[in-house]
Amino acid sequence: MKLALNSDWNNYTPLYIQLANKLRDSISEGQITSGEALPSERALSEITGTSRVTIRKAIDQLVEEGLLERRHGSGTFITAQLEQAGTTLSGFSADAIHRGQSPKSIWLVKTVSSATADEAMVLAISPATQVARLARVRLADDEPLAIEHAIVPLSLLPPMDTIGDSLYAALERQGNKPVQGIQKIRASLATPIEAGLLSIREGAEVLRIERRTFLADGTPVELTRSAYRGDHYEFVADLRECVDYR
């Protein structure tokens, strides 16, 4: 591993913050990759010419941001990033299993009520239509990674007590698994409640995702709004050349 941590420090910013910025840049530029161990404090002190106290404070800063994680007895590691295809319609459970992880859910809400006016418009149903409200924390290998709030017309689902970790599996049992969808992603900050549920600090980066899915005939299936941990997820899309003849 080669770290380009030059020592052109200035006198206006605390040294540990400058070092944290340089380490953050090294991570984003790929000098240190996801899941890789950071050099020891002694090695970093020699590389940068700074004290181990400064090194420790810089690392503490990046641990708080979620970029680094300490493993007892092993060292400090770059927090692993989970690449999520932005062009594939699949659920959290299927994605976790594909990565070799064990998906779980902690249910927050599992109830039935009438659709609101906004929900009825999105799902192309009348406001009197019954919908299932499904809110849960999604975990992979017992680590909380996302909070999902799904609204689905009740008529598309099996009995509520049979819905397990995978919503799409429940829909498939009724012949209503979605085959196409629209997904919007934006960056945001975790609220105090979200931070507690996801075991991250308040104000940490999260990705807010709104997903709308449809059956083959265009029938709306779900409206799901989620908050994914920004320190663990990268959404990747396959881009093609666009030929513009104008």
Side-chain angles (χ1 to χ4, degrees):
M1 176 195 306
K2 281 193 172 182
L3 283 177
L5 299 175
N6 51 39
S7 56
D8 56 337
W9 314 111
N10 65 60
N11 298 320
Y12 309 103
T13 306
L15 196 54
Y16 81 92
I17 292 180
Q18 296 182 63
L19 179 56
N21 291 339
K22 291 177 184 292
L23 285 170
R24 192 184 298 106
D25 290 343
S26 295
I27 294 170
S28 65
E29 292 168 4
Q31 293 180 32
I32 324 172
T33 58
S34 176
E36 188 175 357
L38 205 64
S40 67
E41 289 182 2
R42 176 181 294 180
L44 285 173
S45 179
E46 294 174 354
I47 292 170
T48 63
T50 61
S51 72
R52 293 181 67 172
V53 172
T54 298
I55 299 294
R56 194 169 298 120
K57 289 183 69 174
I59 290 174
D60 286 344
Q61 175 70 31
L62 297 183
V63 168
E64 184 179 349
E65 293 177 15
L67 287 176
L68 299 177
E69 59 180 346
R70 288 190 173 94
R71 300 179 189 172
H72 183 67
S74 299
T76 304
F77 291 77
I78 312 305
T79 301
Q81 293 291 313
L82 304 175
E83 286 196 356
Q84 178 69 40
T87 55
T88 302
L89 180 56
S90 59
F92 182 94
S93 295
D95 292 334
I97 292 170
H98 180 72
R99 294 191 300 265
Q101 298 176 304
S102 176
K104 293 182 181 177
S105 297
I106 298 174
W107 286 96
L108 305 174
V109 175
K110 196 181 204 183
T111 189
V112 176
S113 66
S114 298
T116 66
D118 288 343
E119 293 164 354
M121 182 174 63
V122 170
L123 295 171
I125 54 179
S126 71
T129 302
Q130 297 284 283
V131 296
R133 300 187 182 279
L134 308 170
R136 54 210 170 136
V137 179
R138 309 307 304 271
L139 302 91
D141 289 344
D142 295 321
E143 183 175 20
L145 296 180
I147 305 168
E148 292 182 350
H149 297 267
I151 310 295
V152 181
L154 191 61
S155 61
L156 300 179
L157 288 166
M160 291 283 282
D161 60 0
T162 68
I163 300 174
D165 285 333
S166 175
L167 172 60
Y168 284 4
L171 286 164
E172 188 171 19
R173 291 200 301 272
Q174 297 297 104
N176 294 319
K177 185 178 180 181
V179 297
Q180 56 188 333
I182 299 171
Q183 187 162 271
K184 299 178 182 178
I185 304 174
R186 64 183 177 87
S188 185
L189 303 178
T191 66
I193 292 176
E194 290 171 336
L197 292 172
L198 294 173
S199 299
I200 56 178
R201 64 180 176 82
E202 181 181 342
E205 294 178 351
V206 294
L207 297 173
R208 299 202 183 277
I209 303 171
E210 181 180 287
R211 176 180 286 195
R212 305 180 186 187
T213 61
F214 309 87
L215 300 178
D217 64 2
T219 300
V221 175
E222 67 168 318
L223 167 61
T224 295
R225 294 187 174 100
S226 308
Y228 277 70
R229 287 179 56 167
D231 62 341
H232 273 45
Y233 271 87
E234 293 178 343
F235 280 78
V236 180
D238 182 19
L239 302 180
R240 308 279 179 171
E241 181 182 12
C242 178
V243 179
D244 190 343
Y245 294 101
R246 289 179 298 172

